[in-house]
Amino acid sequence: MVVSLLLALPAAAGLWLVTAGRATPPRLARPLAAASALGTAVLAVLVLVTGSQVDRAWLPELGLRWSFAADGISAPLLLLTAGIGLVVTAHAWVELPPGGSPAGYLGCLLLVETGALATFTARDAVLFLVAFEVVLVPMWVLVGRYGDRRDPRARADAAGRFVLYTAAGSSTLLVGILLLVVSTGTADLRELADGAGAALGPGRQLAVALLLVLGLAVKVPVLPLHTWLPPAHTTAPTAGSVLLAAVLLKMGTYGLVRLPLATVPDGFGRLAPVLAVAGAVGVVWGGLVCLVERDLKRLVAYSSVAHMGFVVLALASGSETGVQAALLANVAHGLVAALLFVLVGGLKQRWGSVDLAVRRPALRETSPRLGLALVVGLAASLGLPGLATFWGELLALYSAWAPAGDRPRGVFVAAAVLAAVGAALAAAYALRVAGLVWAGDRPAADAGTGTDAVGVERWVLVTLAGAVVVLGVAPMLVLSSTADAVAGLGGLR
Amino acid sequence: MSPWLLVAVPALASLVGVVVRREDRWAGAVAVLAGGLTLLLAGIAWVLEPGSTAGHVLDLPVGGLDLPLATATDPARLAVATVVALVALAVQAYSTWYLGADDRYGQFAATVSLFTAAMLLVVVSADLVLTLVGWEVMGWCSYLLIGHWSRRPEARRAALKAFLVTRVADIGFVLGVVGFVAGAGTSGLSGVVGAWREPTGCLQEQLAAGAPLPEALGACDAPDGRARTVLLVLLVVGVLGKSAQVPFQDWLPDAMEGPTPASALIHAATMVAAGTVVLAGLHPLLADSPTARWVLGVAVSVSMLLAAVLAFAQSDLKRMLAWSTVSQVGVMLSAVAAAPPADGPDAGLLHLWSHALFKSLLFLALGWAAVAAGGTAAVRMRGSASATPVLRAALLVGFLSLAGVPLVVGGVSKEHVLAAAYDGAVAGDGPGVLVLVALVLTSAATAAYATRGYLLLTAHRRDRPRAGTVTPAAPAVLWALTGASVLGGLVVLTGSFALHQVSLLWLVLTVLVVGVGVALALVGGLDRDPAEVLARRLVPYADRGLGVDGLYRRVVARPVLRLARVVAYVDTEVVDGYVRGTALATRAAGWLGSRLHRGERSSTAVGLVVGGALLLGAVGVLGWS
Amino acid sequence: MIHLLGPYLLAAVLVGLGVAGVAVRRNAVLLLVGVELVLSGGLVLLVTTQAAGADRWAAGSVLPLFVVTVAAAEVVVALAVVLAAFRARGSIDLDAPATAQDAP
Amino acid sequence: MSTVVSVDLLVLAPALAPVLGVVLLLVGDALAPGRAGGRWALPVAACVLVGGAVAAVRAALVAAEDPARTLCLPAPGDACLWSAGPRASALQAGVLLAAAAALALVHEAAALRRDTAVTATLLLAATTGGVAVAAARDLGGWLVALELATVPVVALVALRGTRPATHGALGLLVTSLASFALLVLGAGLWLTATGEPTFSSAAAAGAWEDPQRRAVLALAVALLVAGLGFKLSLVPFHAWTPQVYPRADLGTTAFLAGASKLSATAALLVLVSALAGVVDGPGPALVLGLPAALSLLLGTVLALRQEDPARLLAWSTVAQAGWVLLPLTALSEDGLRAAAAYVLTYATATLVAFAAVSRAGARSLEQTRGLLRRDPLAGGALALALLVLAGLPPGVVGLVVKILAVSAPVAAGVWPMVAVAVVAVVLGIAVYLRWLVVLPGPRREGDARAGGEPPRGWASATVLVVGTALLAVASVLPHLLLTAVG
C-alpha cells in the first residue's frame, strides 16, 4: 500500500504539473513540487520501515505482475533517489531554466523520480523494464527543452542522442529479459534470483547475460557505450544533470545486480572478464579525457564514466565483496556527482560558461562557500578517505584483486592495476580543476567578489557535502543495509 | 582509553575549525586546545597503558573480507604518537603568531588539526586499510597546506606537484595494501603478517612448470612468496613517494612554498616520516624479503647521500632543511631496510622520534629568522638569528642534533641506526653494507651542512638585525622544543623502543665522522659560506634539484597529457564515430529511399507488387522445401 | 494424373502472360487486361483443382463464380476511376504527373 | 441430409449492421436525393457503426469460452463459414469503431462536399467487408469480404475528384487489382495444395506433411501474404501508401489507416492461424519475416524524412505494419494475440493522430508547433498517440504491445527478426520524437492560426477524447486489451 503511494504521489503530481497544471505560476508550482518530493521521501522511509509491498496480476498473459517492494539492495538507492528528488525540486528556487513552463519542468523532474523509484522497487523483470523506460521521455524533455539555451542544435542532438542511445540499450535489455522469461517461465525477480539460471543451458545463459549486460551497459555507461553521456550532461539543466548522474546511471548498475548477476550468474561470469576490462579501461579513459577537457560540465560527466568504471569492475568480480563495493560506490557516486553538478550549474549560472580555458579569479576568494563545496566534491572525486567514494573504490580494487573463484584471476589483477592507475589520474584531473577554479589563475584584485551561495543553494550544497562526508565516515550505513540481500543473491561465491 | 580518542580529538577539532574558520581567535583556541588535549591523551596513554590491541569498532559487512579496523598501542607507537602530538601542538601554537595576520588562518589551523589526526591514525593503526586512510588524508592535507598561499603561482604548482608525485607513488601503496589484504582475507596487521609470514612457493612452481603468468595467478590465491616480494616492493614504492626518496624526491624542496609551520609539520613528524611507521609495522615480512630490502636500501642510500650533498649546496636555507629532511628520512628508512629480523625496526622509529623534535625546532626557528630577515635565501638570512638568544640556542641545539652529535637527541638515535645497519651488514643477506657506508658518508655531509647552516644564521653582522615582533607563543614553543631536543634522547631509557645496547665504539665513531664533517665545513674559515668555498659550481644545479623536475615533466607529465589528447580525440572522433555513423547511415538510407520513391509512379507500385510477389513466392517455395 | 497437365499449363501460361502484361504496360486499361489474365489463370487453376479431386463443397467450381462477380464489380470501379483520371489529367498513362505543376 | 444452412442473425449482427446502414442510406438518398446536402447520412451511418460495434463487443464477451459460429453447413464436414472468437470479435469492434472515427473526420470536412451520402455508403460497404473477413473461415467468404473491404475505398479516394486524388486513386486501384489477382491465385493454390476450401489447421497440416504439396502450399501462402501485404502496406507492396495518404481527404485516409489495416490484419490472422502450430522452421518465418523486416526498416527510415504529417503517418503505417507482422513470424498462438493487440493499439493511436492533424489543419510538422498551447486537447492527444506509437511511457500500452510483439519471436527463436525489431524500436522513437518535439513549442509570431482560434468540431473532439481515453485506460490496465484479444 505504502509502496503504491510512493509511486503514485510523484507520478500524480508530476503528471498534473506537465498537463493540466502546466500554467501554474512558479510561486505555487515550486512549493507543490517540493512538497511532493518531501512526501515521497517520507513515504520512501515508511516503505523501508514497514517493508510494504504490493503484488497483483497486471498482465497475466505475459506473466507480468504489478509487484513492487524494497529490499536491502534497493533501500539505499530508494533513499538516494528520494533525497535527490528533494534536492532537485529545492534547486528550482535557485534556477528555473527557461525554455518552457516552470511547472512542466518541475513535473518532468518528478516524473523522472517516479520512474527511478519504480525501477528500484520493481520485483518483476518486465515491469522493471517498463519502469526503466518511464524516465526516458521526461528526461528527454528536460534536456531538449530546458537545456542549455545557447545552441539549439546541440540541445536537440544531445537530447536525441540520449533518448535513442538509451532506447537502443533498453531494447536490447528487453530482448534479454524476454529470453530469460521465456526460458525460465517466470518474470518474478526473486524467483529468478533463487533459480540462479539453473534452468538454462550454458549457451542460453551466455546469450541472456550478453543481451542483459549490453542493454544495461548503455545506461551505466560502460566504455565504449558512453558517448551519449557527456553531451547530455553538458546540455541538461543543473537539476537534469543531477538526476542523470545521481539516479539514472544507478538504474544501470542496479539492473546489472538484479538481472544478469543474480539471474544468470554463469553466463555473467563468462562475460565478466570483458566487463572488468571495460570498467578498468573506463576508469583510465575517463581520467585521461578529464585531463584535457575544457568544459567543466563535460569533465564532470567524463569523471562519471571513470567512477562507474569502478562500479562495473567490482560487479564483474562476482564476489560478495565486489557487489557490496559496487552498491556502495554507486550511492557514493550519486552523491558526489550531484554535489559537483549543483556546483558547476551554479558556476555556469554565474559565469555564463564553465570553460576552463578562461582565466578566472580563485573561487576560494570570491565565493568561499562554493569553494569549500568544490573542494569537498573534488576530494571525493579523487577518492579521498573519509569521503563517500573511497570505500567503494578501494573495495572495488580489492574485489578485482580477489575475484570469485571462477573468474580468470590474471585478467582481473591486470584490471585492478589499471584501475589503480586510473585512481591516480583522478587525482590529476581533480587537482587540475582545483588549481584552475578553486585556487584560480587570475589575481583576485581585478575581479571583485562573486556572489556566494546563499539560501536554498547553500543548504543544498551543505546537505550534499554533508552526505558525502557522512557516507565516507560511516560506509556501514549502506553496507549493512545491503549485506543480507547481497548474501542472499544465489549467484555469488 | 581508546586510541581512537587520539584520532577523534584533532579530527573533531578540524571539523569545528572549519565551522568557525572566519573567527581567527576561536579557530586558534580550538586548534591549540585540541592539540594540547591530544598531547595530554597521548602522554597518558604512553605512560599508563601501552600494549593493547583493539579491533572491530566499526562493523563493515563486506562479504568475505574481514575489516577489523584494528588499532594497536604498543609503547613505540605511543611514543611516536606523543611526539607527533607534541610537534603538532608546537606548530599550532607557533602558527597563532606566524599566521596571525593571514586571512585564511582558520582554514590553516583546521587543516593542521586534520593532518595531525591522520598521522595519529597511521601511528595507532594496526590495520592496513586504516593506514591507507590516514596515509591518503595526509596527502590531501599536504596539498592544502603547501598550497595555502594559493595566490602565488609557485605555491599552487608546488602543491599540485607534491600531491601528484605522492599519489602516483601511491598506486604502488594501494595495490600493495590491496594485495596483502586479499591474500590474507583480513586487513588487520597481525592477520596480514601472520598469513604472509610463511608463504607458499606456488607461483614459482607454476611458472617453472611453464604456465603463463595469468594462469599461474589464477592457480595460486594463497599467500605466495613471489607475490609477497612484488607486493612489498609496491608498498615500498608508495613509501618512497610519500617520504620523498629517490626517485620521487623532487616534490619536497618545492613544498617549501608552503607556510613554514606547515613545512615543520609535514617534515618533522607527519607525512614524510609516516612511511617509517608503516614499514615498521610490516617489518617481519620485509625483513624476510631480501629483494624488497634491497630496493628500499638502495633507494634510501642514494637518497640520503644525494640529499645531504644537495642540502649542503643550497642557496636557500629553507630548501636546505628540506633536502636535509629527505636525507634524514632516508636515515630512518635505512634502519628499517638494513635491520636484520632480530633487531626489529625500532631504531628507525627512534630516529623518527628525534627527527621530529629537532627538525620542527629547526623549521620553526628558521621561520622566525626568515620573518626577521624578509626571505629565506642564504645571502639574505646571513646573521639574522645572531641577535636573538632564543633563536641562537634553538639553532645550536637543532643543528647539533641534526649533525648527530652524541648525547643530544639526534646523536642518540643516529648511533642506534648505525648499530642496526652494522648488524644488518654482519647478518649479510640485506643491503646492510651499502646502507652502512651511505650512513657514514651521510653523517659527515650532514655535519658539514649543519655547520654551514648554523654559521650562516648566527654570523656576526655589523647592523644589528631586527628580531621581529613576536607574540610570546613563538619563543615559548622554541624553548620547549629546544629542551625536548636536548633531553629527548632519554627516551631510550624508558624502554619504549626495543633497542639493542650500543657500544661505546659507535659513540667514538660518530664523533669522528661528525668531526670530519665539521672540519670540512670550516675549511674556508668561520666567516665564509662553506658552500661558496667547497661547492660553488654545484650550487646552481643543487638549487634546481639536479633538474629532476624537468625529467618528471618529460617522462611522465607530457606523455600522459599527450596520451590524454589522443584519447580525447579518439573518444569524440572514433568511439563516437560509430554513433554518428549510424545516424549518418540512417539519413543516407532515408535519402536513398526517398530517391527511390520520388517518382511515385503507379506503374512502379504495381511492378513492386508483382516483383515482391514473385520474390516472396520464390522464397516460400525454396524455403519450405 | 497426366491428363490434367494441360489445364495446369494453361493456368501457368495465363498467369505468366498476365504478369508480363502488368509488368510492362503503363496504360491503365491494358494493365487491367493483364490483371484479368492473371485472374483467369487463377480461375482455371481452381476449376482444374476441382476436376482433379473434388473437395467437400465443390469450392473449385463455386469460387470462380464469386471471383468473376467480384472482378466485374472491380472493373466497374476501375473504369470509373480511369475515366475520372482521364478527365482530370487528359491521360490514362499511369505515370502521368500527379499535379499540374509536376507536368513538364 | 438437410441442405439448410443455419443462420444466427445475432452472431452476424456486426456485419449486418453496416449492411443495414447501406440499405438505409441508399433508400434514403433515393427518396430524398441531396437533402440537406446529404448530411443526415453521417449520423445514421455512425449509429449503425456504433450499433455494430456494440454487437461485436457482445459477441466478444459471449465468445470468451467458445467462438460464436454461424452459417454452419450440414455434413459432411460440419464446418461453419462464420466463426468469431473473442479475437475476431475484438477486431470487428475495432473495424467498426475505426470506421466511425473515419466517418467523424469525414463529417468534419463535410461542409466542402455534396456527396456525403455516397461517401457514407461506400464507407459502410467497406466496413462490412472488413468485419466479415475477420470471421470468415472459408476461401470464398474470405476473398469476397476482403475485396468488399477494398473496392469501395478506391472509389472513396477517387471521389474527391481533384487531380492528385485521382492520381492516388489510380495507384491504389491498379495495386489493389494486382493484389486481388494474387489473392485469387493464392486461393487457387491453397485449394490445390490442401484440397480444402477453408483456412483450417487440419488442411494446412495435411499439405505440410507431403513435400510436393508443401511447395504448393508455400507458393499459396506467399501469394496470399503478398495480396494482403498490399492492404497492410507492407514493403514491397506499400508504394501506394505515401501516394494516397496525402492526396485523399483526411477521412478516407483515416479509414485506410485505421479500419482498413484492422480488417487486413484480421484477414491475415485467419490465414496465419491456420498455419500456426502446424508449420515451423525458417522458411515459413521467412515468408512473413521478409516483408516485415523490410517494412520495419524502410518505413521508419523514410518516415524520418517526412515533413507532411500525412506522409509521415503513411510511412509510419508501413513501419507499423511490419510490427504487426513481426509477432506472426513466430507462427504461434502468442504471436497471433500479439499481432491483434498491436494492430488495435496502432489503429487507435493513428486515428487519434489523424483527428489531431485534422483539427490543427496542419499540412506540415512545423504547423503543429505550439499545438499543445493552442489546442491542448488536440496537442495532448497527439502527444500521447505519438508516444504510444513510439512505445514510450507514458504511452505504456504502446510499450506493452511492443513487448508482446517481440516476445513471440524471442520465444520461437526467430533471432533475425528480433534484431530488426531492436533497430526499428530505436529508429521509430526517432520518428515520433521528431514530431513530438515541435508540439510544445512557443507561440509563433505571424502565424494566423496561432492567435487562440477556438477549437472546432465536436466530431473530431469525440474521436480525440474517446481515442485518448482508450489509450489511457489501456496504458494503465493493458490487461483489458489482452483479454479482449484472447
Side-chain angles (χ1 to χ4, degrees):
Chain A
M1 183 58 205
V2 187
V3 72
S4 306
L5 267 181
L6 170 73
L7 302 177
L9 176 62
L15 275 177
W16 187 78
L17 282 172
V18 296
T19 54
R22 213 155 28 94
T24 316
R27 141 181 85 77
L28 293 176
R30 275 192 295 228
L32 178 68
S36 323
L38 185 65
T40 312
V42 171
L43 285 171
V45 173
L46 276 180
V47 164
L48 297 181
V49 171
T50 59
S52 152
Q53 55 179 323
V54 59
D55 183 17
R56 49 177 62 98
W58 189 48
L59 207 54
E61 289 80 2
L62 219 59
L64 171 51
R65 299 188 67 76
W66 184 260
S67 171
F68 293 99
D71 69 354
I73 294 177
S74 40
L77 289 166
L78 214 56
L79 291 178
L80 176 72
T81 307
I84 294 293
L86 254 180
V87 163
V88 291
T89 44
H91 193 263
W93 270 280
V94 181
E95 183 191 353
L96 262 182
S101 87
Y105 166 75
L106 289 162
C108 284
L109 295 180
L110 288 174
L111 287 178
V112 172
E113 190 188 350
T114 311
L117 291 172
T119 310
F120 294 140
T121 47
R123 279 293 160 273
D124 182 291
V126 183
L127 191 62
F128 170 86
L129 182 98
V130 174
F132 201 75
E133 298 269 61
V134 166
V135 296
L136 279 187
V137 171
M139 199 65 216
W140 172 72
V141 173
L142 282 177
V143 176
R145 284 193 65 66
Y146 297 96
D148 194 342
R149 302 312 297 168
R150 281 175 305 172
D151 188 353
R153 279 185 63 112
R155 208 167 69 230
D157 178 72
R161 190 180 279 238
F162 160 74
V163 79
L164 295 181
Y165 216 136
T166 39
S170 46
S171 312
T172 319
L173 177 64
L174 166 66
V175 176
I177 289 178
L178 288 176
L179 185 58
L180 176 68
V181 172
V182 300
S183 311
T184 55
T186 176
D188 188 308
L189 284 173
R190 275 167 295 202
E191 284 176 33
L192 284 169
D194 291 343
L200 284 69
R204 192 47 81 89
Q205 277 227 18
L206 183 64
V208 171
L210 182 67
L211 288 166
L212 293 177
V213 167
L214 262 185
L216 291 163
V218 171
K219 197 80 160 196
V220 172
V222 179
L223 197 87
L225 302 173
H226 66 286
T227 54
W228 61 272
L229 186 70
H233 268 316
T234 318
T235 313
T238 304
S241 294
V242 170
L243 277 178
L244 199 55
V247 176
L248 262 65
L249 305 192
K250 310 298 162 277
M251 290 161 53
T253 42
Y254 174 80
L256 281 176
V257 176
R258 276 277 181 239
L259 284 167
L261 184 73
T263 60
V264 280
D266 293 340
F268 184 76
R270 283 163 74 186
L271 292 176
V274 181
L275 207 55
V277 170
V281 171
V283 174
V284 174
W285 189 276
L288 282 173
V289 175
C290 285
L291 282 182
V292 291
E293 179 55 57
R294 275 179 54 168
D295 185 297
L296 187 52
K297 242 180 152 181
R298 259 180 98 84
L299 191 148
V300 180
Y302 274 108
S303 84
S304 285
V305 174
H307 286 299
M308 296 320 273
F310 276 106
V311 178
V312 170
L313 177 62
L315 279 180
S317 76
S319 64
E320 211 177 311
T321 314
V323 178
Q324 285 280 64
L327 292 171
L328 179 57
N330 215 13
V331 175
H333 170 255
L335 292 173
V336 174
L339 172 63
L340 283 175
F341 275 118
V342 168
L343 260 171
V344 175
L347 294 181
K348 198 167 179 176
Q349 211 182 2
R350 287 173 175 80
W351 296 342
S353 91
V354 279
D355 189 348
L356 290 176
V358 177
R359 290 162 65 88
R360 292 197 171 84
L363 196 65
R364 69 186 299 194
E365 320 247 351
T366 57
S367 321
R369 284 184 202 135
L370 285 178
L372 183 62
L374 180 69
V375 163
V376 172
L378 290 174
S381 196
L382 62 79
L384 188 70
L387 300 178
T389 41
F390 168 76
W391 292 101
E393 298 190 355
L394 179 72
L395 290 172
L397 286 180
Y398 168 85
S399 58
W401 196 281
D406 59 341
R407 308 285 201 263
R409 184 133 181 270
V411 176
F412 273 83
V413 169
V417 173
L418 208 56
V421 173
L425 287 174
Y429 71 72
L431 291 194
R432 169 174 177 245
V433 174
L436 292 175
V437 178
W438 180 64
D441 50 3
R442 204 171 89 195
D446 56 333
T449 52
T451 46
D452 207 346
V454 290
V456 174
E457 189 178 19
R458 179 183 180 188
W459 288 111
V460 164
L461 288 174
V462 166
T463 312
L464 288 172
V468 167
V469 175
V470 167
L471 193 58
V473 175
M476 52 285 202
L477 291 179
V478 170
L479 290 175
S480 50
S481 153
T482 53
D484 290 341
V486 169
L489 286 179
L492 297 182
R493 52 214 68 180
Chain B
M1 185 191 72
S2 164
W4 282 102
L5 218 50
L6 279 180
V7 183
V9 169
L12 271 180
S14 95
L15 204 64
V16 176
V18 168
V19 175
V20 300
R21 65 187 184 279
R22 303 283 164 78
E23 295 293 329
D24 283 0
R25 286 181 52 191
W26 281 103
V30 168
V32 173
L33 283 178
L37 186 57
T38 315
L39 177 59
L40 194 67
L41 289 172
I44 290 172
W46 185 20
V47 174
L48 290 185
E49 45 178 340
S52 66
T53 305
H56 288 112
V57 273
L58 301 169
D59 193 24
L60 290 182
V62 283
L65 169 64
D66 175 37
L67 278 180
L69 302 186
T71 54
T73 47
D74 53 65
R77 287 173 189 274
L78 284 176
V80 173
T82 309
V83 81
V84 169
L86 175 65
V87 171
L89 174 62
V91 165
Q92 289 284 23
Y94 183 88
S95 306
T96 55
W97 163 69
Y98 190 86
L99 289 168
D102 193 284
D103 60 344
R104 286 203 288 256
Y105 166 72
Q107 286 173 32
F108 179 85
T111 315
V112 169
S113 294
L114 184 60
F115 205 142
T116 314
M119 180 63 190
L120 287 172
L121 182 60
V122 171
V123 172
V124 300
S125 140
D127 184 300
L128 285 180
V129 170
L130 267 192
T131 305
L132 182 65
V133 170
W135 187 261
E136 294 291 336
V137 172
M138 272 198 287
W140 179 252
C141 291
S142 76
Y143 170 76
L144 295 178
L145 289 178
I146 295 168
H148 180 71
W149 286 322
S150 65
R151 286 170 201 129
R152 291 167 44 208
E154 299 83 8
R156 291 202 296 270
R157 184 171 188 280
L160 182 70
K161 183 171 168 183
F163 192 75
L164 286 189
V165 171
T166 54
R167 183 75 185 210
V168 167
D170 279 354
I171 297 174
F173 194 81
V174 171
L175 285 176
V177 166
V178 165
F180 274 127
V181 173
T186 173
S187 63
L189 195 58
S190 52
V192 168
V193 171
W196 286 88
R197 200 152 203 173
E198 305 281 331
T200 63
C202 174
L203 269 184
Q204 180 82 39
E205 289 159 19
Q206 291 276 334
L207 291 174
L213 184 63
E215 271 179 33
L217 267 180
C220 307
D221 49 356
D224 174 272
R226 281 216 171 181
R228 186 178 74 174
T229 306
V230 172
L231 294 175
L232 276 173
V233 169
L234 283 171
L235 268 185
V236 164
V237 167
V239 167
L240 293 180
K242 265 296 195 272
S243 302
Q245 302 295 294
V246 172
F248 304 103
Q249 79 283 11
D250 203 58
W251 67 267
L252 194 64
D254 283 9
M256 292 299 103
E257 294 296 339
T260 302
S263 306
L265 189 66
I266 294 172
H267 289 227
T270 54
M271 186 161 139
V272 293
T276 314
V277 179
V278 174
L279 288 185
L282 288 168
H283 190 259
L285 302 181
L286 187 70
D288 207 19
S289 168
T291 314
R293 282 174 75 189
W294 269 105
V295 171
L296 182 63
V298 170
V300 297
S301 300
V302 173
S303 303
M304 66 173 115
L305 193 54
L306 178 78
V309 172
L310 290 180
F312 183 77
Q314 289 297 309
S315 65
D316 183 306
L317 289 185
K318 203 177 168 193
R319 289 175 76 91
M320 180 188 91
L321 284 187
W323 281 112
S324 104
T325 303
V326 175
S327 176
Q328 293 299 313
V329 173
V331 171
M332 289 173 213
L333 289 172
S334 75
V336 182
D343 275 23
D346 280 14
L349 289 180
L350 178 63
H351 196 62
L352 165 59
W353 155 278
S354 65
H355 179 251
L357 291 174
F358 70 73
K359 191 50 73 67
S360 56
L361 173 64
L362 279 174
F363 263 114
L364 296 183
L366 186 84
W368 182 354
V371 170
T376 55
V379 183
R380 187 176 268 277
M381 290 195 75
R382 190 179 167 80
S384 57
S386 58
T388 321
V390 57
L391 279 183
R392 279 212 314 269
L395 288 170
L396 179 64
V397 172
F399 278 121
L400 279 177
S401 231
L402 175 61
V405 173
L407 298 181
V408 283
V409 70
V412 173
S413 61
K414 195 168 278 182
E415 281 153 24
H416 282 93
V417 171
L418 277 167
Y422 176 75
D423 288 351
V426 171
D429 63 339
V433 178
L434 173 71
V435 166
L436 189 60
V437 172
L439 272 176
V440 170
L441 292 176
T442 306
S443 292
T446 309
Y449 72 74
T451 310
R452 174 188 172 223
Y454 184 73
L455 283 181
L456 277 176
L457 282 166
T458 56
H460 180 66
R461 269 169 67 168
R462 298 260 161 81
D463 55 329
R464 232 180 124 66
R466 290 176 298 118
T469 47
V470 293
T471 58
V477 164
L478 288 186
W479 280 123
L481 285 176
T482 308
S485 294
V486 173
L487 301 174
L490 296 176
V491 75
V492 293
L493 302 180
T494 64
S496 295
F497 297 102
L499 299 164
H500 288 247
Q501 286 297 319
V502 179
S503 70
L504 213 57
L505 178 72
W506 289 114
L507 199 80
V508 178
L509 181 71
T510 318
V511 171
L512 264 177
V513 171
V514 170
V516 169
V518 172
L520 208 60
L522 292 179
V523 165
L526 285 171
D527 285 340
R528 292 182 60 193
D529 183 349
E532 290 285 314
V533 179
L534 291 175
R536 200 149 49 104
R537 309 268 295 273
L538 185 63
V539 169
Y541 298 104
D543 281 350
R544 283 186 285 116
L546 298 179
V548 174
D549 184 71
L551 197 68
Y552 288 174
R553 261 186 296 175
R554 268 201 299 281
V555 176
V556 180
R558 268 190 224 155
V560 168
L561 279 179
R562 213 167 287 150
L563 179 67
R565 272 187 213 102
V566 171
V567 163
Y569 176 82
V570 170
D571 190 78
T572 49
E573 301 302 324
V574 181
V575 179
D576 197 39
Y578 62 82
V579 182
R580 286 199 299 259
T582 314
L584 204 67
T586 312
R587 250 179 252 135
W591 177 83
L592 202 68
S594 50
R595 288 279 299 185
L596 288 176
H597 289 82
R598 199 176 41 173
E600 298 205 337
R601 294 180 179 175
S602 304
S603 65
T604 321
V606 178
L608 274 175
V609 170
V610 172
L614 291 177
L615 174 72
L616 219 52
V619 165
V621 173
L622 293 177
W624 287 36
S625 46
Chain C
M1 279 178 253
I2 196 70
H3 64 282
L4 285 180
L5 189 62
Y8 280 131
L9 268 180
L10 175 64
V13 168
L14 282 174
V15 170
L17 276 178
V19 166
V22 168
V24 299
R25 291 296 171 186
R26 294 190 171 180
N27 184 302
V29 174
L30 290 178
L31 194 135
L32 272 180
V33 172
V35 169
E36 297 301 322
L37 277 174
V38 179
L39 267 180
S40 47
L43 297 181
V44 172
L45 182 67
L46 282 170
V47 176
T48 316
T49 307
Q50 173 69 20
D55 61 87
R56 277 190 300 189
W57 304 328
S61 310
V62 177
L63 266 184
L65 296 178
F66 281 104
V67 171
V68 168
T69 320
V70 172
E74 280 207 327
V75 168
V76 170
V77 174
L79 289 178
V81 170
V82 169
L83 213 58
F86 182 71
R87 246 194 312 196
R89 48 186 206 179
S91 145
I92 54 169
D93 187 342
L94 286 177
D95 296 343
T99 56
Q101 292 91 335
D102 293 346
Chain D
M1 182 170 134
S2 166
T3 53
V4 181
V5 174
S6 72
V7 178
D8 184 344
L9 286 181
L10 200 57
V11 173
L12 289 176
L16 290 181
V19 172
L20 176 70
V22 169
V23 172
L24 281 179
L25 290 186
L26 289 178
V27 169
D29 198 49
L31 292 179
R35 178 163 187 179
R39 298 196 61 154
W40 56 274
L42 292 176
V44 172
C47 283
V48 297
L49 286 174
V50 173
V54 169
V57 169
R58 189 206 70 88
L61 293 178
V62 170
E65 297 298 316
D66 200 26
R69 298 143 79 95
T70 186
L71 300 185
C72 293
L73 292 171
D78 194 24
C80 296
L81 301 185
W82 176 289
S83 164
R87 187 175 307 145
S89 295
L91 285 172
Q92 285 174 338
V95 171
L96 288 160
L97 288 178
L103 207 62
L105 297 186
V106 169
H107 171 82
E108 208 85 310
L112 306 172
R113 42 198 300 171
R114 305 218 313 277
D115 43 12
T116 320
V118 180
T119 310
T121 310
L122 289 170
L123 229 151
L124 287 178
T127 310
T128 310
V131 171
V133 79
R137 286 292 173 276
D138 66 307
L139 279 178
W142 189 78
L143 264 179
V144 172
L146 204 52
E147 280 317 291
L148 183 55
T150 311
V151 177
V153 183
V154 180
L156 264 181
V157 175
L159 210 56
R160 201 178 188 195
T162 62
R163 182 168 173 168
T166 33
H167 180 81
L170 207 55
L172 182 60
L173 172 79
V174 291
T175 330
S176 82
L177 284 176
S179 52
F180 176 57
L182 293 175
L183 284 174
V184 170
L185 206 55
L189 288 167
W190 176 276
L191 190 64
T192 312
T194 62
E196 283 283 333
T198 54
F199 290 114
S200 67
S201 302
W208 176 253
E209 295 306 322
D210 178 3
Q212 273 184 326
R213 283 159 70 198
R214 183 189 286 192
V216 181
L217 182 69
L219 198 56
V221 170
L223 290 178
L224 290 174
V225 168
L228 285 174
F230 145 74
K231 286 190 63 85
L232 262 176
S233 301
L234 288 169
V235 177
F237 319 105
H238 67 290
W240 62 274
T241 317
Q243 289 180 28
V244 172
Y245 274 38
R247 295 188 176 125
D249 60 316
L250 267 175
T252 312
T253 312
F255 186 84
L256 276 170
S260 208
K261 295 294 176 278
L262 283 167
S263 53
T265 309
L268 187 62
L269 291 186
V270 171
L271 170 65
V272 177
S273 64
L275 300 173
V278 174
V279 304
D280 54 4
L286 194 59
V287 167
L288 292 166
L290 195 66
L294 287 174
S295 308
L296 282 172
L297 295 177
L298 192 72
T300 4
V301 164
L302 276 165
L304 263 177
R305 290 181 61 85
Q306 307 305 323
E307 282 301 327
D308 177 352
R311 260 176 208 280
L312 191 149
L313 285 171
W315 283 111
S316 125
T317 297
V318 173
Q320 302 285 347
W323 273 107
V324 173
L325 207 53
L326 176 79
L328 296 179
T329 57
L331 291 167
S332 64
E333 182 57 26
D334 285 347
L336 295 172
R337 186 179 61 198
Y342 197 97
V343 78
L344 282 171
T345 310
Y346 147 80
T348 316
T350 300
L351 285 171
V352 167
F354 271 114
V357 170
S358 148
R359 246 169 113 78
R363 299 304 293 174
S364 76
L365 294 190
E366 201 49 38
Q367 280 174 359
T368 59
R369 185 174 286 280
L371 191 64
L372 265 176
R373 283 168 202 239
R374 213 159 63 214
D375 183 353
L377 175 62
L382 179 58
L384 181 63
L386 291 175
L387 287 172
V388 168
L389 288 174
L392 286 177
V396 177
V397 63
L399 178 60
V400 167
V401 292
K402 279 205 162 73
I403 292 176
L404 276 173
V406 177
S407 80
V410 165
V414 192
W415 294 112
M417 291 314 298
V418 176
V420 172
V422 167
V423 175
V425 168
V426 179
L427 292 179
I429 289 176
V431 170
Y432 300 108
L433 288 190
R434 191 170 145 257
W435 192 355
L436 195 61
V437 74
V438 301
L439 293 184
R443 234 172 258 273
R444 296 269 305 254
E445 300 300 327
D447 186 345
R449 303 184 62 93
E453 177 187 327
R456 332 150 288 140
W458 57 267
S460 61
T462 313
V463 175
L464 287 172
V465 169
V466 172
T468 311
L470 284 177
L471 291 178
V473 169
S475 286
V476 178
L477 299 168
H479 172 57
L480 293 181
L481 173 69
L482 286 184
T483 316
V485 297

